[in-house]
Amino acid sequence: MLNPWLALAAGADPQERAVAVRRAHADFLSDGTVRPGVRPVVAESWRRCAGARVGPGEVAEVDMSDADLAAHRAQHPLAQVMPLVRELLGGVAQDGEHLLSVCDEYGRMLWVEGHPQVRRRAERMNFVPGSRWAEARVGTNAPGTALAVDHAVQIFGAEHYCLPVQQWTCAAAPVHDPRTRRIIGVLDITGGDHLAAPQSLALVQATARAAEAQLAALGTLPDRARLQVLGRDEAVLHRGGGSVRLGRRHSEIVTLLAAHPDGLSGQALAWELYGEREVNPVTLRAELSRLRQLLGAFLASRPYRLTQPVDTDAGFVAEALRADPAAALAAYRGPLLPESEAPGIVGMRRRLLGGLRQALLGAGDPALLRDWVATGWGEDDLEAWEALLALVPTREHAVLTARVAALRTDYGLDASH
């Protein structure tokens, strides 16, 4: 059976395959139809790209350069294993006339190395350090798609969503933090059609596993910054072995930036904080200036962003909802920044609470529903009480029926239904 992550079946003609994929790609851009023969991983990626409104002519944007890029590379965990990565992939890239690239967890290129002529060609599509190759930015490509699906993958020719990249073939594999299994970056090799061979994918996968093993052996991965925002009006930021309590406005700003790792422009951040209210731009700049005095290089601008990944307690709850509602409920300490009226925060708070309720209602577990209605934020949840009533033994109905009737009366509903 063909490995779905490989671009070509054994014995397939690359030229014939290239023609078929180009036709399929043109059809998809024309009417959204996916032809038979397009690999599922590619078809799903194309649909994500269309949903994200990626234009077929998009070129990667360089959003970090010079000193900012140098500092980001120096502190990134993958800097520790670059000698190993170069030993395993660097020589192959140089000799095989293709490129070795390493991205961070957001698809930003940290290193691009290899054959000089190939590098010059790749520069035409901004395949350079500091550029962003996330799927939502430049469409289907091996590093970006490997990040999106958390799996090693090859992307061949016209399988790339954006036309400027279709002369290339690439193979990429994600690298994980060996302690938490979170993705911390991607290794990639990019070049011509010869990289569609199974060996290229196997090589990059093996290098990624070797990098993870070395990171585990070194045991020197820095702790990720953590932000507590649930059930409190002032967030607490933990990083570098210390903690700082943020003021209310700074809590909102850091929470919003943690939720937008790509960063926000000044205009977008102002909208998330103030909505349609007219606020002098100097007000936001002053807040950010004070926050930068507190956080230093952890806060960057153009766009405004946090320079290191931040784990939030709200993010943990959101991730746990589908797989483990019990863990999500246990971690939910209350609404996100409950007193905040910033539109972006209000939206995050509502989505998280709504997602948690739906997960608990959908689980059909009376124990979870009991725990939920016993909390200050679930005690008046009529739908949860009604769901619990439908799940418990008859002998418990009297008490629960009385509670449901009381809530229906409070809500102005007919208590008999």
Side-chain angles (χ1 to χ4, degrees), residues 182 311-324 328 352:
R182 287 180 177 273
D311 294 331
T312 70
D313 50 2
F316 177 84
V317 172
E319 290 179 7
L321 288 180
R322 181 175 298 179
D324 192 351
L352 186 64

Side-chain angles (χ1 to χ4, degrees), residues 376-391:
W377 37 88
E379 60 183 350
D380 295 328
D381 188 337
L382 174 59
E383 189 177 2
W385 281 102
E386 290 176 333
L388 180 59
L389 176 61
L391 292 169

Side-chain angles (χ1 to χ4, degrees), residues 9-156:
D13 182 343
Q15 294 302 318
E16 183 178 325
R17 177 66 179 159
V19 171
V21 174
R22 278 197 296 271
R23 290 173 178 164
H25 182 263
D27 286 347
F28 182 81
L29 294 182
S30 174
D31 57 16
T33 300
V34 178
R35 282 193 179 202
V38 176
R39 289 186 293 152
V41 64
V42 173
E44 291 162 9
S45 176
W46 287 357
R47 294 188 184 103
R48 287 193 298 271
C49 297
R53 298 186 177 181
V54 178
E58 292 287 347
V59 175
E61 177 185 357
V62 178
D63 68 358
M64 186 177 288
S65 59
D66 304 329
D68 286 343
L69 178 59
H72 184 49
R73 283 196 294 208
Q75 69 188 10
H76 196 277
L78 289 178
Q80 301 175 77
V81 296
M82 278 306 295
L84 173 68
V85 172
R86 292 186 178 105
E87 179 182 348
L88 297 178
L89 288 180
V92 175
Q94 185 71 31
D95 297 341
E97 297 189 2
H98 50 263
L99 301 177
L100 156 66
S101 65
V102 179
C103 297
D104 67 11
E105 60 270 44
Y106 304 125
R108 182 183 292 109
M109 291 287 176
L110 300 178
W111 292 272
V112 179
E113 303 174 357
H115 196 280
Q117 289 183 342
V118 183
R119 287 189 65 179
R120 284 194 290 273
R121 286 178 51 216
E123 288 171 359
R124 299 171 192 163
M125 59 176 183
N126 275 354
F127 197 83
V128 295
S131 60
R132 289 292 299 278
W133 283 81
E135 238 187 27
R137 294 291 192 94
V138 289
T140 309
N141 68 92
T145 301
L147 280 174
V149 301
D150 192 8
H151 200 285
V153 64
Q154 283 178 331
I155 300 296
F156 169 72

Side-chain angles (χ1 to χ4, degrees), residues 400-416:
L400 293 179
T401 299
R403 178 58 177 158
V404 168
L407 284 175
R408 293 186 67 84
T409 299
D410 289 344
Y411 292 139
L413 302 173
D414 184 352
S416 64

